[in-house]
Amino acid sequence: MRSQKSREVAWTGILFALAIALSFLESAITPLLGLMPAMKLGLSNIVVMYAVLFLNRRSALYLVLLKALFALLTRGVTAGFLSLCGGALSLAVFCLLLALPFTITGYIFSVSGALAHNCGQLLGAAALLSDKMAITYAPMLLIAGLIVGSCTYMVSRLIFPAVKRIIPPRSKAESKIIF
C-alpha cells in the first residue's frame, strides 16, 4: 500500500514538472503565433488529461491545484484564480464524461476539456472583473477552445498510445476514451 502511495506521489511530481515545462513552452510560443496573451495552446492540460485517464482523479486534482498555485506564485492572484477556475471546470467535465455509460472519442474528450477550461476562466473573469468583459471575450475564447482542443487531441493521440505501451494504465478510465 505504501509503495502505491509513493508511486502516486512520484508520478504526480513528475507530471507537475512536465506541466510547468509545457506551460513555459506555451508562453514562449504564444507570441510567435500571434495569439493574444490570454490564449494558450493548452499543452499543460494534456498532463491533466493523462492523469485522469491513466492514473486517478485525485492525482489530476492535485495537478490542477498545483498548476493554479504555480500561476498564483509566478503571475499573480488573478492568473492563479483563473487557472483554478478553468482547471477545476475542465477536470469536472473530464470526470463527467468518464461517468457516461458509453465510450467517447478522444476528440470529444479533448475539445470538451478545452471548452470547459475556457468557460471556467470566463466565469472566473466575470466574478473578478465584469460580466461585460467576459461576454465580449467569450466568442473568441470559445473558438480558441475548439482549435486548442483539436490540437491537444492530435498531440495526445500521438503520445498516449506510446505511453500506454511503456507505462501500463493504473485506471480503467482510459478504456472509456478512444484515441
Side-chain angles (χ1 to χ4, degrees), residues 39-61:
M39 291 186 186
K40 306 247 184 210
L41 297 175
L43 296 176
S44 64
N45 293 331
I46 294 172
V47 176
V48 175
M49 276 178 33
Y50 174 85
V52 79
L53 289 174
F54 294 97
L55 296 177
N56 56 50
R57 293 176 181 159
R58 182 178 53 225
S59 294
L61 176 62

Side-chain angles (χ1 to χ4, degrees), residues 85-136:
C85 291
L89 188 57
S90 179
L91 180 59
V93 166
F94 287 150
C95 293
L96 181 71
L97 290 172
L98 290 171
L100 294 174
F102 49 85
T103 59
I104 59 171
T105 66
Y107 178 78
I108 297 296
F109 194 71
S110 298
V111 169
S112 297
L115 289 172
H117 195 278
N118 286 354
C119 288
Q121 287 186 325
L122 283 171
L123 291 170
L128 279 182
L129 305 170
S130 77
D131 294 342
K132 280 185 185 178
M133 186 280 312
I135 290 171
T136 304

Side-chain angles (χ1 to χ4, degrees), residues 5-22:
K5 182 71 172 168
S6 298
R7 190 174 299 134
E8 182 182 327
V9 169
W11 269 114
T12 303
I14 290 167
L15 291 174
F16 176 58
L18 180 59
I20 297 309
L22 290 171

